[in-house]
Amino acid sequence: MKRIIVIGAGASGMMAAIAAARNKAAVTVVDAMERAGKKILLTGNGRCNLTHMDEHPEDSCFGADRGWIRAVMRQFPPAETRRFFAELGLPTFEKNGYVYPVTGQASSVAAVLTAEMRRLGVKLKLSEKILFLEKEDRIWKARTASWCYEGDAVILACGSKAAPKTGSDGSGYELARMTGHRIVPVSPALTPVICEGDFFRSAAGVRCRAEVSLYPRGTDGKSRGQALHRERGELLWTNYGVSGILVFQLSRFISSSRRPEKELILEADLLPDLSEDELFRTISARAEALGRERISVLFAGMLNEKLIPLILKNAELTGKDSCEKLLREKGRIEALVHGIKHVLLIPKGTKSFDACQVCAGGVDTAQTDCRTLESRLRSGLYFAGEILDVDGLCGGYNLQWAWASGYTAGRAAASDGTPGPV
Ligand SMILES: Cc1cc2nc3c(=O)[nH]c(=O)nc-3n(C[C@H](O)[C@H](O)[C@H](O)COP(=O)(O)OP(=O)(O)OC[C@H]3O[C@@H](n4cnc5c(N)ncnc54)[C@H](O)[C@@H]3O)c2cc1C
C-alpha cells in the first residue's frame, strides 16, 4: 500500500487526503494547529462560500497560466464539489452563483471532511509542525522538531501566508524552496486598500454603492489609458482607505505591483447607476428647484452626507454655496458631475497578511504538471491549494481551487502520478 504524507489539514489537504485514501493509499495528515480546517471556519463570514456555480472558475483566478488552472479545475469542477459534499451529507444551496452549506455554518464543512477522513482511516496528527522535507533513498521524510514522518509520496498543502493565526504562516514556501522550487513573490490579496489623504478619517464607516476602477497612473497623477480592472458593489470607507468586496477584488493588483503609489490609481464612481448626462440633468433640475438653498441640501438625497465635502472640495465649492451659483457659473455642474463620477483614490498599498483572505504568488506552477500537480523537479512531491501561485476572486473561487487541486494531487499521488483527464 502506498504511504502518503499530506502536510496541512486545511481545505486542500483534507481533500487530498480523502482522494488519496479513496484510491487505496495509507494516508497521514500532519498539521501544525490543534484542530483541522481552522481557516475554513472563518470563510464566508462563518457561512463558507464553498464554491461558485461558474462553469469556468479558472476565468476568475490569477497567477498561473489560465490553461494550466483550467486543466486542474476540470478534474473537479464546481458541480463535482456540490456532489461530493452532498454525498458527505452536506447539501448546499446557491445564491447569485455563490454556493453555501444549507446549515449556514462553515464548521459543518470542516466537520464532514474530518468525519470522512476518519471513515477512510486517514491518520490525523495535530500540533505537529513540519520543519524539514527531504527525499532519501526514494523515501520522503517530513521532520518535526522531534519526529520524522516517512512516505512514498508527499503532498504539500500548507496554504499561503494569509491569516497566519489559522496556521498558514508561510512555512510551506520554505519546504518548497528546500526541495528546489521557485516561489513567485507572495503578496496579500482580497484585502483592504490603504490610500493617501486625510479625508478618510471623516468618512470612516460610510458604506455606499459605487463602481471602482483600477487604472495605470499618469505623470500628472491622474488615471490614464484603459481600466485594468473594474468592480461594482458596496464600497466601505475606512479611516485608512477603502474596503469591501469590490476593493478586495482589486487589491491583488495593487499589492503585487512593486510600486503601487507611483503606478496605479483607483477611480470611484459614486453614482454608477446614472450616466453623466442623467446626473447633469438631475443636478441642474434640483438646482433650479432649490434656488437659494445650500448645495449640501441638493445632495442630501444622493450621497452620504460624510462624502459630500469631498465632492464639493473636488469641484472647488463649499456646502454653504448656493444652488443658484451652480446655475450662474459656467462649468460648475460639469465639475460636480466629474467629481462624483471620477473620485481619485491614490493607493499607498494594501493591508498586510494578517488582514487578507488569500495571497497572490506562491510555488511556480511551471515547475508542476497540471494533470497531476506533481513536481517536475522531484518525483513523488505534489502540491495542492493556495501554496501554489493561484488566487481567485471572492465568490467561492479560492475554495473551489482548494478542492480541485486537492483532489487532483491526492488522486494522482495514490495512483503513482497517473494523470487525470484534462
Ligand atoms: C477570513 C477569510 C475568509 C475566506 N472566505 C472564503 C470564502 O468564503 N470562499 C472561498 O472560496 N475562499 C475563502 N477564503 C479563502 C480560503 O479559505 C482559502 O483559499 C483556502 O482555505 C486555502 O486552503 P489551503 O488548504 O490551501 O490552505 P489553508 O486552509 O491555509 O491550510 C493550510 C494548513 O497547513 C497547515 N500548515 C502550514 N504550514 C505547516 C507546516 N510547516 N507543518 C504542518 N502544518 C502546516 C496550517 O496549519 C493549515 O491548517 C477565505 C479566507 C479567509 C482568511
Side-chain angles (χ1 to χ4, degrees):
M1 200 183 230
K2 199 166 177 191
R3 294 168 308 159
I4 296 178
I5 309 164
V6 180
I7 307 178
S12 66
M14 288 199 273
M15 176 58 92
I18 290 167
R22 286 181 179 180
N23 281 280
K24 312 266 179 285
V27 185
T28 303
V29 182
V30 188
D31 198 288
M33 302 306 278
E34 70 291 350
R35 67 177 286 181
K38 276 197 106 170
K39 190 173 288 171
I40 293 175
L41 304 180
L42 303 184
T43 56
N45 279 328
R47 293 185 307 142
C48 188
N49 171 202
L50 59 84
T51 187
H52 196 287
M53 290 306 288
D54 205 336
E55 276 181 35
H56 294 286
E58 64 278 3
D59 292 345
S60 298
C61 293
F62 306 94
D65 167 75
R66 194 134 304 164
W68 187 97
I69 303 175
R70 185 184 310 124
V72 180
M73 289 287 199
R74 270 197 198 159
Q75 299 191 44
F76 201 85
E80 198 54 43
T81 298
R82 292 189 77 177
R83 204 169 14 248
F84 169 85
F85 280 105
E87 275 171 22
L88 296 189
L90 183 138
T92 54
F93 73 95
E94 180 236 337
K95 193 177 171 193
N96 301 327
Y98 292 33
V99 177
Y100 298 91
V102 291
T103 57
Q105 286 186 301
S107 54
S108 320
V109 176
V112 298
L113 289 169
T114 46
E116 180 64 359
M117 289 200 298
R118 267 197 309 277
R119 188 185 76 79
L120 292 164
V122 170
K123 288 189 189 132
L124 179 58
K125 304 287 179 183
L126 295 170
S127 304
E128 296 269 309
K129 182 165 179 165
I130 301 298
L131 303 172
F132 299 101
L133 183 62
E134 63 202 341
K135 193 177 184 184
E136 273 175 22
D137 302 330
R138 303 165 71 92
I139 301 293
W140 278 99
K141 298 190 172 173
R143 296 182 198 277
T144 67
S146 58
W147 193 252
C148 177
Y149 292 94
E150 295 190 350
D152 305 303
V154 64
I155 301 174
L156 267 185
C158 301
S160 60
K161 285 167 89 169
K165 64 178 181 206
T166 62
S168 50
D169 60 358
S171 57
Y173 300 134
E174 292 314 312
L175 299 175
R177 271 198 198 96
M178 233 172 252
T179 49
H181 295 83
R182 196 178 92 82
I183 308 296
V184 175
V186 175
S187 56
L190 302 186
T191 190
V193 170
I194 305 166
C195 296
E196 271 179 24
D198 48 17
F199 164 75
F200 295 95
R201 235 167 285 138
S202 57
V206 170
R207 289 170 186 272
C208 67
R209 188 168 156 70
E211 183 174 276
V212 179
S213 310
L214 183 72
Y215 282 95
R217 192 171 168 200
T219 44
D220 59 355
K222 296 191 177 148
S223 53
R224 70 176 162 86
Q226 297 276 318
L228 303 170
H229 205 92
R230 181 165 283 147
E231 291 286 336
R232 195 178 272 215
E234 188 183 65
L235 177 65
L236 170 62
W237 298 74
T238 69
N239 56 10
Y240 53 80
V242 284
S243 185
I245 288 180
L246 84 170
V247 171
F248 282 18
Q249 313 283 47
L250 300 165
S251 60
R252 79 173 304 284
F253 303 103
I254 295 170
S255 68
S256 58
S257 158
R258 267 173 293 137
R259 296 190 309 150
E261 70 285 5
K262 298 247 165 50
E263 290 176 351
L264 299 170
I265 194 154
L266 292 168
E267 227 184 73
D269 178 349
L270 299 185
L271 287 172
D273 301 313
L274 288 182
S275 70
E276 301 216 352
D277 281 352
E278 285 166 336
L279 183 56
F280 182 89
R281 286 198 297 275
T282 306
I283 295 176
S284 306
R286 292 299 297 147
E288 290 267 11
L290 292 169
R292 286 192 195 156
E293 281 275 15
R294 294 174 170 198
I295 297 181
S296 50
V297 176
L298 189 155
F299 286 111
M302 280 191 223
L303 294 168
N304 185 294
E305 60 184 354
K306 289 188 177 170
L307 300 177
I308 296 174
L310 174 70
I311 302 308
L312 295 180
K313 187 168 161 238
N314 288 348
E316 295 175 4
L317 290 162
T318 74
K320 289 184 188 157
D321 286 320
S322 74
C323 294
E324 278 175 342
K325 183 172 177 174
L326 293 183
L327 300 168
R328 216 172 39 237
E329 296 180 11
K330 203 166 174 308
R332 287 290 188 189
I333 299 180
E334 286 88 342
L336 276 173
V337 169
H338 191 269
I340 292 170
K341 296 195 74 73
H342 303 272
V343 179
L344 294 182
L345 306 166
I346 303 173
K348 280 206 289 193
T350 62
K351 283 283 185 181
S352 70
F353 293 108
D354 291 341
C356 71
Q357 291 197 355
V358 296
C359 285
V363 173
D364 186 352
T365 54
Q367 295 183 330
T368 65
D369 183 336
C370 60
R371 297 169 304 173
T372 58
L373 294 181
E374 185 173 15
S375 163
R376 290 188 186 282
L377 311 180
R378 308 293 304 273
S379 67
L381 174 58
Y382 297 77
F383 296 95
E386 234 188 279
I387 191 171
L388 284 155
D389 176 23
V390 175
D391 60 291
L393 293 175
C394 288
Y397 297 104
N398 288 293
L399 281 171
Q400 176 55 34
W401 169 247
W403 313 131
S405 57
Y407 170 82
T408 300
R411 197 199 59 80
S415 2
D416 279 325
T418 311
V422 174

